[in-house]
Amino acid sequence: MWSGPPQPDQGLPPPLAAVPVPWKSTDPCQGHRESPGPLVETSAGEEAQGQEGPAATQLDVLRLRSSSMEIREKGSEFLKEELHRAQKELKLKDEECERLSKVREQLEQELEELTASLFEEAHKMVREANMKQAASEKQLKEAGGKIDMLQAEVTALKTLVITSTPASPNRELHPQLLSPTKAGPRKGHFRHKSTSSTLCPAVCPAVGHTLTPDREGKEVDTILFAEFQAWREAPTLDKTCPFLERVHREDVGPCLDFTMQELSTLVRAAVEDNTLTIEPVASQTLPAVKVAEVECSSTNTCALSGLTRTCRHRIRLGDSESHYYISPSSRARITAVCNFFTYIRYIQQGLVRQDAEPMFWEIMRLRKEMSLAKLGFFPQEA
């Protein structure tokens, strides 16, 4: 079976070059017959090329193989380097992840401890706040009770001032005004007559001999009333104001001017400062007291006048432990002055709710009591 002409790449020589026959022809058509020469050369060149082709192909294949091996080696080295680099980066990332994990665990532990401490502190603060609130409520309750008690006392004091003033004391409301022999024990507040003691404004009202001003003829002195009204607009205990300066000069000074000048000065200062205390004297003998070189060793000598009298009361100046025995006349003079100062203190504190004229006449009556006591008139004790 014929398979066609042989191909050049199979290494077979071309047919024309197989039998080269050189020849010359004298024929007129010689030029055309000599043309096979170049054809023969062409065939030879093709044969040479056909012989060199397989070698070049093999060389190219070898070159390709060496290039591919180089590429493979370089690619392998590159991949190894990349793998090593990736492994190194992965290791670093693993270390970083481990470090961050430890940091997170530490932070979580610190957060738990902080939360626990905060809760504990919050519970402690709440507990302390509850305790403080309970204490504050207790104090508020106690303060409320004290305020109610003080309000009740103020109300009672106002009622006492309205219903019983130094001008007309109510003996039922003031059992301490009774004489030591008649004053019985008070319910819930009993003291022995030898030790009972209060400040002079509370125990020095005018005793007995209550006048009835309505039955007397009265006429307001315009000068005295003007001075009183000026003082009443701004009540004060300052002796420099005209009203009190006149009372001190005309009534208080002469009434408290006793024979014993040194003790008289101390008594006057204690009365003005509201620190004088008058106490009834018990039957037993009390310690001796020296006053201005006069030894009052018994209750038969008045420490203020120096006269021998039966002294049923004694006075104490401020916080001093010394007591001075006084006669009924001296006590009446001191209590008359105490009544005056008690009433003007009530006016200064706003406890007297009266018009100007009744207040003025009450002060005039108190001044009259001081004048009578200075002249030696005093009520006799039963």
Side-chain angles (χ1 to χ4, degrees), residues 223-259:
I223 299 177
L224 298 179
F225 189 69
E227 292 177 352
F228 169 72
Q229 281 187 321
W231 174 84
R232 183 171 174 266
E233 293 178 357
T236 178
L237 297 179
D238 188 5
K239 294 187 292 185
T240 58
C241 69
F243 169 70
L244 289 184
E245 191 274 333
R246 178 188 294 272
V247 175
H248 276 273
R249 184 181 70 253
E250 296 179 358
D251 301 309
V252 175
C255 192
L256 295 181
D257 186 14
F258 295 96
T259 304

mmCIF file of all heavy atoms in Angstrom, residues 223-259:
data_model
loop_
_atom_site.group_PDB
_atom_site.id
_atom_site.type_symbol
_atom_site.label_atom_id
_atom_site.label_comp_id
_atom_site.label_asym_id
_atom_site.label_seq_id
_atom_site.Cartn_x
_atom_site.Cartn_y
_atom_site.Cartn_z
ATOM 1 N N ILE A 223 -42.362 112.920 129.764
ATOM 2 C CA ILE A 223 -40.923 112.709 129.561
ATOM 3 C C ILE A 223 -40.568 111.239 129.757
ATOM 4 O O ILE A 223 -39.881 110.626 128.928
ATOM 5 C CB ILE A 223 -40.104 113.603 130.505
ATOM 6 C CG1 ILE A 223 -40.393 115.090 130.219
ATOM 7 C CG2 ILE A 223 -38.615 113.297 130.357
ATOM 8 C CD1 ILE A 223 -39.681 116.037 131.167
ATOM 9 N N LEU A 224 -41.062 110.679 130.875
ATOM 10 C CA LEU A 224 -40.771 109.265 131.128
ATOM 11 C C LEU A 224 -41.387 108.369 130.052
ATOM 12 O O LEU A 224 -40.768 107.391 129.618
ATOM 13 C CB LEU A 224 -41.297 108.862 132.512
ATOM 14 C CG LEU A 224 -40.686 109.580 133.718
ATOM 15 C CD1 LEU A 224 -41.327 109.080 135.011
ATOM 16 C CD2 LEU A 224 -39.185 109.355 133.762
ATOM 17 N N PHE A 225 -42.609 108.708 129.630
ATOM 18 C CA PHE A 225 -43.280 107.883 128.630
ATOM 19 C C PHE A 225 -42.560 107.957 127.281
ATOM 20 O O PHE A 225 -42.449 106.966 126.545
ATOM 21 C CB PHE A 225 -44.733 108.323 128.482
ATOM 22 C CG PHE A 225 -45.559 107.403 127.638
ATOM 23 C CD1 PHE A 225 -45.884 106.128 128.091
ATOM 24 C CD2 PHE A 225 -46.005 107.790 126.380
ATOM 25 C CE1 PHE A 225 -46.650 105.271 127.316
ATOM 26 C CE2 PHE A 225 -46.761 106.946 125.605
ATOM 27 C CZ PHE A 225 -47.088 105.666 126.066
ATOM 28 N N ALA A 226 -42.051 109.144 126.921
ATOM 29 C CA ALA A 226 -41.300 109.287 125.661
ATOM 30 C C ALA A 226 -40.010 108.478 125.717
ATOM 31 O O ALA A 226 -39.638 107.802 124.736
ATOM 32 C CB ALA A 226 -41.002 110.764 125.405
ATOM 33 N N GLU A 227 -39.312 108.527 126.870
ATOM 34 C CA GLU A 227 -38.100 107.723 126.993
ATOM 35 C C GLU A 227 -38.417 106.231 126.917
ATOM 36 O O GLU A 227 -37.679 105.459 126.280
ATOM 37 C CB GLU A 227 -37.409 108.037 128.318
ATOM 38 C CG GLU A 227 -36.828 109.445 128.392
ATOM 39 C CD GLU A 227 -36.216 109.745 129.743
ATOM 40 O OE1 GLU A 227 -36.378 108.910 130.657
ATOM 41 O OE2 GLU A 227 -35.571 110.807 129.887
ATOM 42 N N PHE A 228 -39.537 105.821 127.538
ATOM 43 C CA PHE A 228 -39.915 104.402 127.478
ATOM 44 C C PHE A 228 -40.264 103.983 126.053
ATOM 45 O O PHE A 228 -39.882 102.896 125.599
ATOM 46 C CB PHE A 228 -41.094 104.152 128.419
ATOM 47 C CG PHE A 228 -41.722 102.805 128.223
ATOM 48 C CD1 PHE A 228 -41.070 101.648 128.636
ATOM 49 C CD2 PHE A 228 -42.953 102.680 127.598
ATOM 50 C CE1 PHE A 228 -41.641 100.396 128.442
ATOM 51 C CE2 PHE A 228 -43.524 101.440 127.396
ATOM 52 C CZ PHE A 228 -42.878 100.290 127.816
ATOM 53 N N GLN A 229 -41.004 104.807 125.338
ATOM 54 C CA GLN A 229 -41.369 104.454 123.954
ATOM 55 C C GLN A 229 -40.139 104.355 123.059
ATOM 56 O O GLN A 229 -40.040 103.458 122.215
ATOM 57 C CB GLN A 229 -42.348 105.486 123.388
ATOM 58 C CG GLN A 229 -43.777 105.296 123.864
ATOM 59 C CD GLN A 229 -44.731 106.227 123.146
ATOM 60 O OE1 GLN A 229 -44.410 107.398 122.879
ATOM 61 N NE2 GLN A 229 -45.919 105.727 122.838
ATOM 62 N N ALA A 230 -39.181 105.255 123.251
ATOM 63 C CA ALA A 230 -37.945 105.178 122.467
ATOM 64 C C ALA A 230 -37.187 103.880 122.785
ATOM 65 O O ALA A 230 -36.624 103.231 121.885
ATOM 66 C CB ALA A 230 -37.072 106.399 122.748
ATOM 67 N N TRP A 231 -37.158 103.506 124.052
ATOM 68 C CA TRP A 231 -36.491 102.236 124.423
ATOM 69 C C TRP A 231 -37.274 101.029 123.895
ATOM 70 O O TRP A 231 -36.678 100.043 123.465
ATOM 71 C CB TRP A 231 -36.366 102.167 125.938
ATOM 72 C CG TRP A 231 -35.828 100.848 126.424
ATOM 73 C CD1 TRP A 231 -34.524 100.477 126.518
ATOM 74 C CD2 TRP A 231 -36.592 99.724 126.873
ATOM 75 N NE1 TRP A 231 -34.420 99.196 126.994
ATOM 76 C CE2 TRP A 231 -35.691 98.700 127.224
ATOM 77 C CE3 TRP A 231 -37.958 99.485 127.017
ATOM 78 C CZ2 TRP A 231 -36.100 97.468 127.704
ATOM 79 C CZ3 TRP A 231 -38.383 98.258 127.501
ATOM 80 C CH2 TRP A 231 -37.459 97.252 127.843
ATOM 81 N N ARG A 232 -38.619 101.101 123.906
ATOM 82 C CA ARG A 232 -39.456 99.970 123.492
ATOM 83 C C ARG A 232 -39.306 99.660 122.001
ATOM 84 O O ARG A 232 -39.440 98.507 121.577
ATOM 85 C CB ARG A 232 -40.923 100.277 123.812
ATOM 86 C CG ARG A 232 -41.898 99.140 123.486
ATOM 87 C CD ARG A 232 -43.266 99.477 124.050
ATOM 88 N NE ARG A 232 -44.250 98.477 123.639
ATOM 89 C CZ ARG A 232 -45.028 98.596 122.571
ATOM 90 N NH1 ARG A 232 -44.935 99.689 121.811
ATOM 91 N NH2 ARG A 232 -45.913 97.663 122.266
ATOM 92 N N GLU A 233 -38.993 100.644 121.182
ATOM 93 C CA GLU A 233 -38.793 100.396 119.758
ATOM 94 C C GLU A 233 -37.548 99.558 119.500
ATOM 95 O O GLU A 233 -37.499 98.784 118.545
ATOM 96 C CB GLU A 233 -38.690 101.730 119.005
ATOM 97 C CG GLU A 233 -39.996 102.512 119.000
ATOM 98 C CD GLU A 233 -39.853 103.842 118.286
ATOM 99 O OE1 GLU A 233 -38.703 104.150 117.850
ATOM 100 O OE2 GLU A 233 -40.848 104.573 118.159
ATOM 101 N N ALA A 234 -36.538 99.682 120.343
ATOM 102 C CA ALA A 234 -35.313 98.868 120.231
ATOM 103 C C ALA A 234 -34.873 98.482 121.634
ATOM 104 O O ALA A 234 -33.957 99.092 122.198
ATOM 105 C CB ALA A 234 -34.214 99.629 119.504
ATOM 106 N N PRO A 235 -35.528 97.482 122.233
ATOM 107 C CA PRO A 235 -35.213 97.121 123.626
ATOM 108 C C PRO A 235 -33.773 96.665 123.784
ATOM 109 O O PRO A 235 -33.252 95.899 122.974
ATOM 110 C CB PRO A 235 -36.192 95.978 123.924
ATOM 111 C CG PRO A 235 -37.263 96.092 122.900
ATOM 112 C CD PRO A 235 -36.611 96.662 121.684
ATOM 113 N N THR A 236 -33.129 97.122 124.823
ATOM 114 C CA THR A 236 -31.753 96.754 125.115
ATOM 115 C C THR A 236 -31.528 96.836 126.613
ATOM 116 O O THR A 236 -32.296 97.494 127.330
ATOM 117 C CB THR A 236 -30.766 97.673 124.379
ATOM 118 O OG1 THR A 236 -29.436 97.300 124.721
ATOM 119 C CG2 THR A 236 -30.984 99.116 124.748
ATOM 120 N N LEU A 237 -30.486 96.166 127.083
ATOM 121 C CA LEU A 237 -30.113 96.232 128.495
ATOM 122 C C LEU A 237 -28.940 97.169 128.729
ATOM 123 O O LEU A 237 -28.368 97.190 129.828
ATOM 124 C CB LEU A 237 -29.771 94.828 129.015
ATOM 125 C CG LEU A 237 -30.923 93.810 128.980
ATOM 126 C CD1 LEU A 237 -30.430 92.461 129.497
ATOM 127 C CD2 LEU A 237 -32.094 94.303 129.820
ATOM 128 N N ASP A 238 -28.595 97.929 127.712
ATOM 129 C CA ASP A 238 -27.486 98.866 127.829
ATOM 130 C C ASP A 238 -27.889 100.030 128.741
ATOM 131 O O ASP A 238 -28.928 100.684 128.520
ATOM 132 C CB ASP A 238 -27.098 99.380 126.441
ATOM 133 C CG ASP A 238 -25.829 100.211 126.474
ATOM 134 O OD1 ASP A 238 -25.215 100.288 127.562
ATOM 135 O OD2 ASP A 238 -25.471 100.776 125.427
ATOM 136 N N LYS A 239 -27.069 100.297 129.728
ATOM 137 C CA LYS A 239 -27.399 101.337 130.693
ATOM 138 C C LYS A 239 -27.203 102.742 130.140
ATOM 139 O O LYS A 239 -27.565 103.729 130.824
ATOM 140 C CB LYS A 239 -26.520 101.168 131.946
ATOM 141 C CG LYS A 239 -26.806 99.901 132.717
ATOM 142 C CD LYS A 239 -26.035 99.863 134.026
ATOM 143 C CE LYS A 239 -24.547 99.717 133.792
ATOM 144 N NZ LYS A 239 -23.803 99.551 135.076
ATOM 145 N N THR A 240 -26.671 102.881 128.951
ATOM 146 C CA THR A 240 -26.425 104.221 128.404
ATOM 147 C C THR A 240 -27.666 104.838 127.765
ATOM 148 O O THR A 240 -27.676 106.047 127.513
ATOM 149 C CB THR A 240 -25.298 104.155 127.358
ATOM 150 O OG1 THR A 240 -25.678 103.235 126.310
ATOM 151 C CG2 THR A 240 -23.997 103.674 128.001
ATOM 152 N N CYS A 241 -28.696 104.037 127.477
ATOM 153 C CA CYS A 241 -29.890 104.623 126.881
ATOM 154 C C CYS A 241 -30.604 105.474 127.934
ATOM 155 O O CYS A 241 -30.530 105.189 129.137
ATOM 156 C CB CYS A 241 -30.809 103.535 126.332
ATOM 157 S SG CYS A 241 -31.575 102.513 127.602
ATOM 158 N N PRO A 242 -31.282 106.535 127.534
ATOM 159 C CA PRO A 242 -31.876 107.462 128.521
ATOM 160 C C PRO A 242 -32.840 106.785 129.494
ATOM 161 O O PRO A 242 -32.829 107.096 130.690
ATOM 162 C CB PRO A 242 -32.596 108.486 127.634
ATOM 163 C CG PRO A 242 -31.883 108.432 126.329
ATOM 164 C CD PRO A 242 -31.447 107.011 126.154
ATOM 165 N N PHE A 243 -33.663 105.849 129.010
ATOM 166 C CA PHE A 243 -34.660 105.223 129.869
ATOM 167 C C PHE A 243 -33.993 104.421 130.989
ATOM 168 O O PHE A 243 -34.275 104.626 132.178
ATOM 169 C CB PHE A 243 -35.560 104.335 129.015
ATOM 170 C CG PHE A 243 -36.455 103.438 129.807
ATOM 171 C CD1 PHE A 243 -37.508 103.952 130.543
ATOM 172 C CD2 PHE A 243 -36.249 102.064 129.819
ATOM 173 C CE1 PHE A 243 -38.332 103.121 131.287
ATOM 174 C CE2 PHE A 243 -37.066 101.233 130.558
ATOM 175 C CZ PHE A 243 -38.108 101.754 131.292
ATOM 176 N N LEU A 244 -33.092 103.498 130.633
ATOM 177 C CA LEU A 244 -32.442 102.673 131.651
ATOM 178 C C LEU A 244 -31.447 103.480 132.485
ATOM 179 O O LEU A 244 -31.223 103.179 133.656
ATOM 180 C CB LEU A 244 -31.736 101.487 130.986
ATOM 181 C CG LEU A 244 -32.655 100.398 130.408
ATOM 182 C CD1 LEU A 244 -31.826 99.242 129.865
ATOM 183 C CD2 LEU A 244 -33.613 99.888 131.492
ATOM 184 N N GLU A 245 -30.846 104.495 131.898
ATOM 185 C CA GLU A 245 -29.905 105.327 132.666
ATOM 186 C C GLU A 245 -30.635 106.028 133.812
ATOM 187 O O GLU A 245 -30.139 106.098 134.949
ATOM 188 C CB GLU A 245 -29.249 106.342 131.728
ATOM 189 C CG GLU A 245 -28.066 107.089 132.341
ATOM 190 C CD GLU A 245 -28.504 108.313 133.125
ATOM 191 O OE1 GLU A 245 -29.574 108.862 132.787
ATOM 192 O OE2 GLU A 245 -27.788 108.693 134.074
ATOM 193 N N ARG A 246 -31.871 106.489 133.536
ATOM 194 C CA ARG A 246 -32.662 107.150 134.581
ATOM 195 C C ARG A 246 -33.070 106.138 135.665
ATOM 196 O O ARG A 246 -32.977 106.431 136.867
ATOM 197 C CB ARG A 246 -33.900 107.785 133.956
ATOM 198 C CG ARG A 246 -34.830 108.455 134.984
ATOM 199 C CD ARG A 246 -36.121 108.881 134.316
ATOM 200 N NE ARG A 246 -35.881 109.927 133.333
ATOM 201 C CZ ARG A 246 -35.873 111.234 133.616
ATOM 202 N NH1 ARG A 246 -36.060 111.644 134.868
ATOM 203 N NH2 ARG A 246 -35.682 112.128 132.678
ATOM 204 N N VAL A 247 -33.495 104.936 135.243
ATOM 205 C CA VAL A 247 -33.920 103.934 136.219
ATOM 206 C C VAL A 247 -32.753 103.498 137.091
ATOM 207 O O VAL A 247 -32.888 103.365 138.317
ATOM 208 C CB VAL A 247 -34.549 102.720 135.498
ATOM 209 C CG1 VAL A 247 -34.880 101.619 136.504
ATOM 210 C CG2 VAL A 247 -35.805 103.136 134.743
ATOM 211 N N HIS A 248 -31.574 103.304 136.480
ATOM 212 C CA HIS A 248 -30.407 102.918 137.272
ATOM 213 C C HIS A 248 -30.022 104.034 138.253
ATOM 214 O O HIS A 248 -29.657 103.754 139.413
ATOM 215 C CB HIS A 248 -29.223 102.616 136.343
ATOM 216 C CG HIS A 248 -29.221 101.215 135.802
ATOM 217 N ND1 HIS A 248 -28.659 100.159 136.467
ATOM 218 C CD2 HIS A 248 -29.730 100.700 134.644
ATOM 219 C CE1 HIS A 248 -28.798 99.054 135.760
ATOM 220 N NE2 HIS A 248 -29.443 99.354 134.633
ATOM 221 N N ARG A 249 -30.105 105.275 137.804
ATOM 222 C CA ARG A 249 -29.693 106.390 138.655
ATOM 223 C C ARG A 249 -30.688 106.649 139.783
ATOM 224 O O ARG A 249 -30.294 106.905 140.929
ATOM 225 C CB ARG A 249 -29.520 107.656 137.794
ATOM 226 C CG ARG A 249 -28.983 108.854 138.584
ATOM 227 C CD ARG A 249 -28.856 110.086 137.712
ATOM 228 N NE ARG A 249 -30.164 110.631 137.333
ATOM 229 C CZ ARG A 249 -30.681 110.539 136.118
ATOM 230 N NH1 ARG A 249 -30.020 109.915 135.142
ATOM 231 N NH2 ARG A 249 -31.857 111.084 135.850
ATOM 232 N N GLU A 250 -31.978 106.568 139.472
ATOM 233 C CA GLU A 250 -32.990 106.955 140.451
ATOM 234 C C GLU A 250 -33.475 105.791 141.316
ATOM 235 O O GLU A 250 -33.898 106.020 142.460
ATOM 236 C CB GLU A 250 -34.189 107.583 139.736
ATOM 237 C CG GLU A 250 -33.850 108.870 139.016
ATOM 238 C CD GLU A 250 -35.062 109.455 138.297
ATOM 239 O OE1 GLU A 250 -36.134 108.810 138.348
ATOM 240 O OE2 GLU A 250 -34.942 110.533 137.707
ATOM 241 N N ASP A 251 -33.431 104.542 140.820
ATOM 242 C CA ASP A 251 -34.059 103.444 141.545
ATOM 243 C C ASP A 251 -33.095 102.295 141.844
ATOM 244 O O ASP A 251 -32.952 101.891 143.009
ATOM 245 C CB ASP A 251 -35.254 102.895 140.745
ATOM 246 C CG ASP A 251 -36.292 103.970 140.487
ATOM 247 O OD1 ASP A 251 -36.695 104.635 141.454
ATOM 248 O OD2 ASP A 251 -36.710 104.147 139.327
ATOM 249 N N VAL A 252 -32.447 101.741 140.804
ATOM 250 C CA VAL A 252 -31.626 100.549 140.999
ATOM 251 C C VAL A 252 -30.435 100.864 141.893
ATOM 252 O O VAL A 252 -30.148 100.127 142.864
ATOM 253 C CB VAL A 252 -31.158 99.989 139.636
ATOM 254 C CG1 VAL A 252 -30.207 98.810 139.843
ATOM 255 C CG2 VAL A 252 -32.356 99.555 138.805
ATOM 256 N N GLY A 253 -29.721 101.943 141.609
ATOM 257 C CA GLY A 253 -28.546 102.289 142.403
ATOM 258 C C GLY A 253 -28.874 102.508 143.869
ATOM 259 O O GLY A 253 -28.271 101.877 144.757
ATOM 260 N N PRO A 254 -29.844 103.386 144.187
ATOM 261 C CA PRO A 254 -30.173 103.593 145.611
ATOM 262 C C PRO A 254 -30.722 102.347 146.296
ATOM 263 O O PRO A 254 -30.453 102.123 147.488
ATOM 264 C CB PRO A 254 -31.243 104.700 145.562
ATOM 265 C CG PRO A 254 -30.978 105.422 144.294
ATOM 266 C CD PRO A 254 -30.520 104.373 143.321
ATOM 267 N N CYS A 255 -31.485 101.521 145.541
ATOM 268 C CA CYS A 255 -32.069 100.341 146.180
ATOM 269 C C CYS A 255 -31.003 99.313 146.557
ATOM 270 O O CYS A 255 -31.144 98.602 147.557
ATOM 271 C CB CYS A 255 -33.104 99.719 145.252
ATOM 272 S SG CYS A 255 -34.138 98.459 146.031
ATOM 273 N N LEU A 256 -29.951 99.203 145.786
ATOM 274 C CA LEU A 256 -28.886 98.231 146.053
ATOM 275 C C LEU A 256 -27.674 98.874 146.717
ATOM 276 O O LEU A 256 -26.582 98.305 146.704
ATOM 277 C CB LEU A 256 -28.461 97.539 144.748
ATOM 278 C CG LEU A 256 -29.527 96.674 144.070
ATOM 279 C CD1 LEU A 256 -28.970 96.025 142.806
ATOM 280 C CD2 LEU A 256 -30.044 95.594 145.033
ATOM 281 N N ASP A 257 -27.855 100.038 147.291
ATOM 282 C CA ASP A 257 -26.756 100.723 147.986
ATOM 283 C C ASP A 257 -26.828 100.345 149.467
ATOM 284 O O ASP A 257 -27.549 100.955 150.264
ATOM 285 C CB ASP A 257 -26.885 102.238 147.805
ATOM 286 C CG ASP A 257 -25.689 102.981 148.384
ATOM 287 O OD1 ASP A 257 -24.663 102.307 148.672
ATOM 288 O OD2 ASP A 257 -25.780 104.197 148.567
ATOM 289 N N PHE A 258 -26.041 99.310 149.838
ATOM 290 C CA PHE A 258 -26.045 98.810 151.218
ATOM 291 C C PHE A 258 -24.826 99.355 151.968
ATOM 292 O O PHE A 258 -23.946 100.011 151.403
ATOM 293 C CB PHE A 258 -26.037 97.276 151.230
ATOM 294 C CG PHE A 258 -27.282 96.664 150.652
ATOM 295 C CD1 PHE A 258 -27.314 96.251 149.334
ATOM 296 C CD2 PHE A 258 -28.422 96.511 151.436
ATOM 297 C CE1 PHE A 258 -28.456 95.682 148.808
ATOM 298 C CE2 PHE A 258 -29.569 95.939 150.908
ATOM 299 C CZ PHE A 258 -29.591 95.527 149.589
ATOM 300 N N THR A 259 -24.786 99.022 153.252
ATOM 301 C CA THR A 259 -23.679 99.492 154.092
ATOM 302 C C THR A 259 -22.355 98.882 153.641
ATOM 303 O O THR A 259 -21.327 99.572 153.576
ATOM 304 C CB THR A 259 -23.968 99.136 155.560
ATOM 305 O OG1 THR A 259 -25.236 99.678 155.950
ATOM 306 C CG2 THR A 259 -22.868 99.690 156.466
#
